[in-house]
Every structure is written in structure tokens, then in C-alpha cells.
Amino acid sequence: MDAVVSGIVLAGLYALVGQGLVLTFVTTRTLNFASGELLAVGGFLALGVGSWSWLPTPGKLAVVVLVGGALGAVVHRWLVLPFARGEHDSRWLLSTVGISYVLLNLFTNGEGANPQRVELTRNPGTVEVLGVGVNKQSLVIAVIAVVVTLALVAASRWTSGGVIMRAVAEDPRTVALMGISPRLVGAVAYAAATALAALAGVLWASEVGATPGLGVHVLVSAFAVAVIGGLTSFWGPLVGAVVFGVVVQVSAYELGALWGQVAGLALVIVVLVLRPEGLVGRRMEAKL
Amino acid sequence: MKKFAVAALAVASVASLAACGNDSSSEREDGVVRIGLVGPETGAAPQFYTDLVRPVELAVADLADEYGLEVEIVTVDDKGTPDGASAAVQQLLNTEDVDAIFGPPQSGNALQVADVIQRSGRPWLSAALAPEIMDESLDPNWLFRTNYNASDLSSVVAQYLFSGDSTVGIVHSADAYGQSGAESIEAEAEELGAEIAAVEAIQPGTTDFSAGISRLAAAGVDTVFLAITAGADTATVTKAIAQEGLAADRVVTNATILADFATLADPEQWENLVFIDPRDLTGDTVAGIAADYEAEYGEAPIIPTNVYSWMAAVDTYLQAVAEVGDARDFDGVREAMEGLEQVSVRDDVYEKPFGAGDHEIYEPEDPSQWIVFGFDGEGALEARGDLASCIADGC
């Protein structure tokens, strides 16, 4: 029971970042490999705005999320669009990996590589869930991940923006003929995805401190959960994260801490072999 | 005439090849002492680089004038990897042509470059803990260690861990430092006829370690030894200890905890946490160094123990160079270091620290020479007493 509960709680962080990957994939068929460093941007922005005593915490959080969103739009305009000009153009992969290294080096040179304490959304201590002690901060992140997932699912089904997003995913050319700009939809998706990464960055940095490498480990797991759940469904990251988190924790409890992550990544391979579209995704062609 | 030209060419070739090998002096004669620092400016543990460069800068600023020397510091990033360390040391030796090498601070990387530096025939000063780095059978031996070694530490830590009726578990980083630390304690346990109930490894940067602590609890562990490279990972482990409610009477770690741990952890995480060191880290000397460090760099030392060790290294080396009068006389400088009457870190003085067959600044084996440190309610370091008293009466 301990392993299952802690696995589910652990899943929240990965699901939140994984949602960003799904957002960009369903709208542009591209993935942002700099998501981990953009998550670190959230952590460092939290350090910066943390000293603005005139602004209440929700305001500070909003600033971080908005700046993160703006950065996402910039990444889409200058690092994705010029390098995704056709079905077989996958230079965006190199450009997003490239900017991740640039950001990593900028942070290391500018801020140093040692962790810095972030207080903005810190929830220290533990709380009991079903008789199991869980970390408060991880629980907060898990709750936010569920809310974000429900909001994205609802928006994609019952709002005009969601319908446009799904239409762009199905057939961007026809959508363009109807006067809707797939580029704009892509920019909005990147902005939203990066805003989510920045939000995850604030929340996670409040737990472990802000470092340039804050997102490196998180991104690997976020990719894993997006693949397990499916890159074409907003339910995918949440379902994938729960399955991944439980497998990781159960393996770690039963076999030893080091085996947890190994088991989680082995699960990714199993899913890719048996159900490449993911547990709740649907099969579609991609230009990866 | 042709034979003479060929002979001359051969002589010149042999001479130039000889210059590439182990030579006790070479041609640079600008009079400036060039110290090469190698450490992980990037990588998983950059604090070891920061607290290599800064204390050397501070000590050189203090001592260069006193010894009448002009000193230049050259730094190279080893990226925290053995391969990076090899490349960095080659750069220091072949491109930068330094007179002495300080570092790498991490044991695995120091082991990787040990042969190369020994063959280069230049003074090598190290604060890395791995006992394997020091091969006292080498003649000449160019390595001088200004820190204690892990073998001595393991010996006294084991005495503390296994005192009383304790059930001991180990958590170590899944890296060279952590594995070496865990293996040392396991070897000491075997020697003492004691058993270790559980051993768990943590990957650097792990987000959650509750499963590992749960396994320690299931094994009935009440005393935990942490051999962890970064304070941030130690914080993850102690958070899991609090979260899982592991009733540990003692959590014993090492001085690497001073890097980042108190910044990231909350008071309940450092309640029973202690580490053991032979130096008085709460005394006036360390406080004075910390004040100067903070005035210069705007923050407190990250690993005060390393700061102390590197300052001792600078005094060792510059004293010897001043005595010989020529940093390029590598043999002379090495012999001078062996014969130093004393080495100082500010007001702390070590008499006759080295000798011809002794290149370790100190090797305290008696528990009364080690001090047990913990943290007070505010996270500040406090001395709990000497180890012998702590073993006998608790502390």
C-alpha cells in the first residue's frame, strides 16, 4: 500500500510536465526537448520574484507562469517554426536540444550550479494519506496535476479553442483554409506547455532548491510517462504517470531503490513494443 | 659532414623526447609560480570546484607576499568525470605548463589522473579522501594529501556506528565516492565482527527515496550511515527518513553534508544527524576563514572542510617554493615539502606534518582526536564532543 500511494503522489510532477509534451505534440507534432531547462527557468524566476514583498504569492506565481508562457511562444516562433517546414523536417529536434544546452550553460555561469532555496510555494513536512506518510509538496503537485488534466480534457472537448486545437491536430491545411492560423495555435500550445513547465519548476524548486539541472531528471521521467500514457491524449500523462510511479515505487520497495527507475524505463520499452500509441493514446502518423 | 648532421639530429631528437618525459625542471624562467587547479566547474558536484578555487585564491592572497612570491592560478574544468579529469590534467601539464597541480577534489577523478601526474614529476597536492590515491611506495612520490583519508575516517566511524547494540544500515550515492565509502564501512564491520542490516543506493538527483528508507525500516535499522556526495541528495534521504518515520537514534554522515544540506533541509531533518572530522570546525580559525570568504565572495563557504584542506595545501606548497627559490626545481620543492617544520592554516599549526615516507598531513587513528559535529535548532554547526567520549557516554 505504501508503494502504491507514494507512487501515485510521485506521479503528479511527471504528469504536469508530461502534459506540456502532449500539448505541443497534438498541435504541432513536435516536442520541446528544452522543457527540462524551461522548468528550471520557473525555479529561478521564483527566486527572483520571491523578493518582491509588495506582490502576494498568487501574483508572484502568475508572473512566473506568464513569463514561462511568453518564453514558450518565443521558442515556438524562433526555434521550432523555422525548423519544422514539412513532414520530413525534424530539425526542431536539434534546435530544442541546442537551446536546452544554451540555457543550462547560461544558468550555470550566471547562478552557479549549487542549489538555492526557494520559499515561494514551499510546503514542508508530511501528511497522512490512507495511513501512509507522504510529502506535502508532492501531494500539492499531484492535486494540481489532476486539476490541470481535467481542465485540459474539458477544454479540448467543450470549448471552441479545444475544437480548433483538435482540428489542427487532424488536418492543419484544411483548418488554415478556414481562416485559422495553425501557427498561432502552435504558439498558444507552446506557451501553455512552457507555462506548465514553469509552474512545475516553481513547485519542485520549492522542494529541492533551484539548480540549472533541476529539470534534467524530471524530463526523462516526463517523457517516459507521456510515452506510456500516449502522446495524443490529455489523459495520457496522468494515466502514464500513475502507472510509471507505481511501478517505480513497487520495484524500489521490493527490489531496492536503484531498481525503481530501471523498472520504470523498462516499462517504457514494453509499452513501445506492445502498444506504441500508449495506454490511452490512439495510433497516428507522426513526422518524428 | 652528412654523418655529423644525422648525429646532431639524433641528439636533438633524443633531447627533445627527454624533455617530454619526467624532468625535474624545465625552461620557463619568468619567476612566476603557476599553480594549476583542476576540479568540477560543471557536472553534478560543482561545489568541489568552487571550494577549491576560492580557498586557494584567499590563501595565495594571504601568503604570496609573506613568502615573497608572485603566483598565478590557472583553473581547468574536469566536468566531474574521469575522462574530463584526464583531459584537464593534460592541459595543465602540456599547454599551461604549471609548476604544481591542486586537485581533482573528487576521489574517482583523482584516481584516474594519479599515474599521469606522478609520471609528470611535479608536486601534486590533493584533498581527495580515497586511500588508494596515496602510494607511499613510490620513489619519488609527488602526492601530498592535506586532508584525512577515507580509511582513517571509516575506522573511527565504524567504531561509533557499532558501539552499543545498534542495527546499522547504509545509504550511499551510486557513484565512486559513495560506493567507496560504503565498502569501507562494510570492511570495517567485517573486521569488528559486526553485521550491516541493509545497504541502499541513491542515484544523484533522485526525486524520492521513501522506498529505500522503507527497506531500511523493514530491516530493523536504528543507526544509519550516509556516504553521499552532495548535500542535496542527503536532504532527499533525510526527508524520506522523516516521511517514513524511521526511528533512527543516529544518522552518521560525513563532511560533504556541509554542501547545501542546511540550505535545503528543515529542522526535523537534522535532529539526529552527525558527522565526524578531526578539525575544530566550530573554532576561531574556521570562523575567521568563513568571515573572510564571505566578505570576498558574498556567501559562506560551501564545504568548510575542503576550504581548510586547500588552505593547508597552499601553505605547504608556497613555503617549499620559497625555501627552494625556484618553482621549476620540482625535485627540490618536493623534498622541501617533506622537510617542512610546520604547516599552518591561519592560527592552526601542524608540526612536522610530512616526511620522506609520509605524505599525509595527519592520520588520526585515536577516537579522541576526532570530533563529533551536529546541527543546532537553527541549522548551525555545533561540536558534540570528542569521539571517544561520545562512544563511551553518548553525545
Side-chain angles (χ1 to χ4, degrees), chain A residues 2 6 10 13-14 108 113-117 122 124-126 133-135 204 207-209 217 249 252-258, chain B residues 42 46-47 50 174 200-201 203-205 207-212 214-215 232 239 243-244 260 262-266 268 302:
Chain A
D2 285 20
S6 67
L10 186 65
L13 178 66
Y14 307 143
T108 305
N114 297 310
Q116 298 180 57
R117 190 178 175 104
R122 190 173 172 83
T126 59
V134 297
N135 181 277
W204 191 236
E207 177 67 8
V208 299
H217 294 278
Q249 289 300 82
Y253 272 73
E254 295 301 324
L255 305 173
L258 272 188
Chain B
T42 55
Q47 64 271 20
T50 306
E200 290 293 323
Q203 285 283 8
T207 49
D208 178 89
F209 197 67
S210 56
S214 175
R215 286 171 63 82
K239 185 172 64 188
Q243 182 181 324
E244 291 295 304
D260 308 325
T263 309
L264 300 176
D266 294 314
E268 73 266 19
I302 306 164

Side-chain angles (χ1 to χ4, degrees), chain B residues 76-378:
Chain B
V76 183
D77 180 13
D78 69 18
K79 300 179 173 61
T81 66
D83 286 350
S86 290
V89 164
Q90 292 290 354
Q91 185 183 337
L92 286 176
L93 292 171
N94 300 329
T95 309
E96 303 292 348
D97 193 20
V98 296
D99 301 322
I101 292 180
F102 285 41
Q106 291 164 291
S107 292
N109 301 339
L111 275 168
Q112 174 75 16
V113 298
D115 283 347
V116 173
I117 303 179
Q118 288 284 4
R119 279 203 305 274
S120 76
R122 297 184 202 202
W124 178 24
L125 291 105
S126 177
L129 301 185
E132 300 85 1
I133 298 166
M134 181 65 73
D135 181 356
E136 302 248 20
S137 68
L138 288 174
D139 186 21
N141 178 14
W142 295 93
L143 171 61
F144 290 78
R145 177 161 23 215
T146 54
N147 202 349
Y148 54 81
N149 70 58
S151 176
D152 291 336
L153 178 66
S154 300
S155 170
V156 292
V157 165
Q159 290 177 51
Y160 187 47
L161 286 172
F162 297 105
S163 62
D165 189 21
S166 54
T167 305
V168 176
I170 296 176
V171 178
H172 67 85
S173 305
D175 57 21
Y177 173 80
Q179 282 166 356
S180 164
E183 283 165 12
S184 303
I185 294 298
E186 286 175 300
E188 292 290 339
E190 202 175 324
E191 211 162 277
L192 294 168
E195 273 191 23
I196 291 168
V199 179
E200 290 293 323
I202 177 171
Q203 285 283 8
T206 289
T207 49
D208 178 89
F209 197 67
S210 56
I213 295 305
S214 175
R215 286 171 63 82
L216 294 191
V221 165
D222 59 23
T223 301
V224 184
F225 175 64
L226 308 178
I228 298 177
T229 308
D233 290 328
T234 307
T236 301
V237 172
T238 53
K239 185 172 64 188
I241 289 175
Q243 182 181 324
E244 291 295 304
L246 176 68
D249 299 330
R250 276 174 293 179
V251 180
V252 184
T253 182
N254 47 44
T256 57
I257 195 176
L258 296 172
D260 308 325
F261 176 77
T263 309
L264 300 176
D266 294 314
E268 73 266 19
Q269 291 175 243
W270 59 63
E271 219 164 73
N272 293 327
L273 193 67
V274 297
F275 70 93
I276 300 166
D277 199 278
R279 295 157 291 199
D280 182 7
L281 301 177
T282 52
D284 291 342
T285 297
V286 171
I289 292 170
D292 290 350
Y293 184 110
E294 197 157 357
E296 183 69 25
Y297 301 109
E299 60 179 338
I302 306 164
I303 319 175
T305 48
N306 276 35
V307 169
Y308 192 99
S309 298
W310 290 121
M311 287 188 145
V314 172
D315 188 50
T316 301
Y317 178 64
L318 293 188
Q319 255 196 90
V321 172
E323 196 177 308
V324 174
D326 180 7
R328 304 303 287 177
D329 179 1
F330 303 135
D331 261 329
V333 172
R334 181 181 53 77
E335 285 167 12
M337 286 199 285
E338 287 176 343
L340 288 175
E341 287 303 318
Q342 61 179 43
V343 166
S344 304
V345 179
R346 305 276 172 103
D347 295 333
D348 293 357
V349 177
Y350 298 91
E351 305 286 350
K352 290 289 287 175
F354 303 112
D358 172 18
H359 285 204
E360 305 262 11
I361 194 168
Y362 33 62
E363 295 170 280
E365 288 166 0
D366 180 352
S368 66
Q369 294 172 285
W370 294 78
I371 303 166
V372 178
F373 294 96
F375 298 90
D376 67 15
E378 304 297 315

